[in-house]
């Protein structure tokens, strides 16, 4: 009796007894039947939740060689875990670190923006108060305030570093003056035979503590502060003139002329010849400090000069600003008023 070719429960070839059957079709059906059994057995052995979906069309069967996809073996989800990092879910440790770095950078930028906004609000409040006739409270010098001094609020952002550096140079000058006075005192006490007029030298160094401090602040530091704050050609010229004299003063103090108030190079050599080690050592340090201060001040002088030229300032502009400033000042207005009264009282109408 011949077997039904469409019987699913049959284990043999359904077209085995077909006289018209093709041998290639029969072998293909056998191979498909075998793969189907392999698929069923594999499906029973592997949990469905641990099988990774194939990237190709064909789904699960494509991974086991059936269903039209490329043949291969299944890969559990745990295989997606980075063996080196221990991170799963498609994110490596490097990606996580990069994300943390970006978040830290964003937080840093946000804090910088908030600080900038606060600074701008404070500066705007100061400008508004000045426009209304109210000046900010005096804050400099700290012990006895006589003026308002705030580089962060009054100087443009791009120029703050330069102005702050010049301010530090001025502070360094005060420290050197104090050290120079102490060195002159030690030289006087050591009573070096080759050092003449040590008492006059110490007295001059003590006077420098006050005269040079006030003169340097009002003659070249405050002008360069106002020059950057107001972009004023006149204040730039004041800085160039008086800071140039200050450079000569640094060189003069480094030389250490006897009785001139400086424990410089000459005083150091005289102390060495007299065998006064302490005085020679302090004089050598003082000499080095004056030389260093001269070099740094010269560098900043050149830098301010370049900025002045880059801004396009001229000497004619500085003279015009000086004339306008004098005319707007109380002394200028008094002088103009006196000249006008003299002209009116003159019978000839000419100045005599």
């Amino acid at each position: 009796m011949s077997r039904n070719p469409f019987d699913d429960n049959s284990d043999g070839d359904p077209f085995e007894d077909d006289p018209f059957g093709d041998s290639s079709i029969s072998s293909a059906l056998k191979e498909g039947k075998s793969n189907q059994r392999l698929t069923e057995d594999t499906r029973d052995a592997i949990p469905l939740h641990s099988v990774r979906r194939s990237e190709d069309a064909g789904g699960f069967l494509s991974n086991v060689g059936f269903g039209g996809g490329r043949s291969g073996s299944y890969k559990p989800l745990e295989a997606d875990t980075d063996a080196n990092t221990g991170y799963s879910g498609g994110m490596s440790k490097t990606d996580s670190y990069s994300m943390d770095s970006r978040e830290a950078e964003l937080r840093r930028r946000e804090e910088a923006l908030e600080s900038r906004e606060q600074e701008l609000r404070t500066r705007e409040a100061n400008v508004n108060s000045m426009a209304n006739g109210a000046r900010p409270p005096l804050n400099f010098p700290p012990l006895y305030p006589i003026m308002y001094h705030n580089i962060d609020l009054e100087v443009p952002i791009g120029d703050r570093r330069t102005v702050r550096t010049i301010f530090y140079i001025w502070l360094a000058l005060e420290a050197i003056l104090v050290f120079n006075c102490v060195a002159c005192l030690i030289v006087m006490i050591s009573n070096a035979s080759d050092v003449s007029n040590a008492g006059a030298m110490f007295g001059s160094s003590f006077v420098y503590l006050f005269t040079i401090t006030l003169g340097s602040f009002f003659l070249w530091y405050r002008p360069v502060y106002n020059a950057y704050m107001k972009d004023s050609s006149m204040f730039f010229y004041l800085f160039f003139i008086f800071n140039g004299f200050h450079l000569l003063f640094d060189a003069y103090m480094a030389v250490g002329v006897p009785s001139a108030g400086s424990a410089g190079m000459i005083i150091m050599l005289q102390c060495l010849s007299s065998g006064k080690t302490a005085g020679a050592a302090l004089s050598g340090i003082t000499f080095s400090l004056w030389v260093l201060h001269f070099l740094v001040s010269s560098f900043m002088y050149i830098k301010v000069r370049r900025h002045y030229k880059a801004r396009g300032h001229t000497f004619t502009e500085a003279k015009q600003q000086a004339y306008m400033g004098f005319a707007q000042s109380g002394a200028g207005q008094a002088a103009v008023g006196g000249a006008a009264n003299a002209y009116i009282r003159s019978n000839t109408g000419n100045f005599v």
Side-chain angles (χ1 to χ4, degrees):
M1 179 178 176
S2 128
R3 187 170 54 252
N4 186 359
F6 302 101
D7 188 3
D8 293 338
N9 297 325
S10 176
D11 295 334
D13 185 0
F15 296 96
E16 182 179 9
D17 298 333
D18 185 7
F20 303 100
D22 192 346
S23 61
S24 61
I25 297 175
S26 176
S27 61
L29 289 177
K30 287 181 179 180
E31 182 179 357
K33 194 95 174 168
S34 174
N35 290 335
Q36 184 177 3
R37 290 195 189 98
L38 176 61
T39 301
E40 292 175 355
D41 296 340
T42 307
R43 187 183 306 169
D44 294 338
I46 303 172
L48 291 179
H49 69 274
S50 64
V51 179
R52 186 181 68 176
R53 185 183 297 271
S54 172
E55 295 178 356
D56 299 334
F60 168 79
L61 296 179
S62 63
N63 288 329
V64 294
F66 192 79
R70 68 175 183 268
S71 61
S73 60
Y74 78 94
K75 186 176 182 180
L77 289 177
E78 289 75 12
D80 288 342
T81 302
D82 195 326
N84 296 326
T85 61
Y87 285 84
S88 60
M91 180 181 294
S92 65
K93 186 175 183 180
T94 304
D95 296 336
S96 177
Y97 177 77
S98 300
M99 184 177 296
D100 294 340
S101 300
R102 287 193 296 268
E103 291 179 356
E105 180 67 17
L106 289 176
R107 286 194 299 268
R108 187 187 65 80
R109 292 183 179 181
E110 183 178 358
E111 293 175 356
L113 288 175
E114 291 178 356
S115 176
R116 176 74 182 280
E117 291 177 358
Q118 180 64 28
E119 177 182 335
L120 291 177
R121 285 193 295 267
T122 305
R123 187 172 185 178
E124 183 179 0
N126 291 335
V127 172
N128 293 334
S129 63
M130 294 174 63
N132 296 330
R135 298 284 299 180
L138 305 179
N139 62 352
F140 190 86
L143 298 179
Y144 187 77
I146 59 175
M147 67 182 64
Y148 181 74
H149 179 271
N150 194 323
I151 296 176
D152 292 330
L153 296 182
E154 293 191 312
V155 178
I157 297 177
D159 302 325
R160 291 175 187 173
R161 184 176 181 180
T162 300
V163 176
R164 187 173 287 108
T165 302
I166 298 176
F167 178 66
Y168 291 154
I169 290 176
W170 179 78
L171 292 177
L173 173 62
E174 311 316 308
I176 296 175
L177 288 173
V178 173
F179 190 88
N180 176 74
C181 184
V182 174
C184 291
L185 177 63
I186 298 300
V187 172
M188 183 184 67
I189 295 175
S190 63
N191 194 19
S193 58
D194 292 336
V195 178
S196 60
N197 297 325
M201 179 181 65
F202 170 72
S204 299
S205 65
F206 185 78
V207 173
Y208 289 158
L209 291 177
F210 305 96
T211 57
I212 300 302
T213 297
L214 295 176
S216 60
F217 183 86
F218 288 105
L219 293 179
W220 59 262
Y221 172 69
R222 191 66 183 181
V224 76
Y225 181 92
N226 291 332
Y228 278 98
M229 178 178 66
K230 302 177 181 180
D231 196 22
S232 172
S233 179
M234 180 188 68
F235 285 111
F236 274 115
Y237 261 95
L238 290 176
F239 169 77
F240 294 144
I241 293 173
F242 291 105
N243 193 253
F245 285 119
H246 165 69
L247 294 177
L248 296 177
F249 175 77
D250 279 350
Y252 173 77
M253 297 294 285
V255 172
V257 178
S259 305
S262 171
M265 181 180 61
I266 296 178
I267 302 299
M268 176 188 66
L269 296 177
Q270 290 178 348
C271 290
L272 287 175
S273 63
S274 300
K276 305 299 182 181
T277 307
L282 291 177
S283 298
I285 296 175
T286 305
F287 165 73
S288 302
L289 292 176
W290 284 120
V291 171
L292 180 61
H293 195 268
F294 173 82
L295 295 177
V296 177
S297 299
S298 300
F299 174 79
M300 295 307 299
Y301 185 93
I302 297 173
K303 185 174 183 179
V304 174
R305 184 74 178 179
R306 290 177 179 174
H307 174 82
Y308 170 84
K309 292 183 177 180
R311 296 291 297 174
H313 294 296
T314 61
F315 180 69
T316 303
E317 180 185 359
K319 290 192 299 183
Q320 293 175 354
Q321 293 176 357
Y323 294 152
M324 292 179 59
F326 177 76
Q328 294 175 358
S329 64
Q333 293 176 359
V336 172
N341 293 331
Y343 180 79
I344 294 174
R345 290 193 303 265
S346 175
N347 295 328
T348 61
N350 297 321
F351 292 100
V352 180

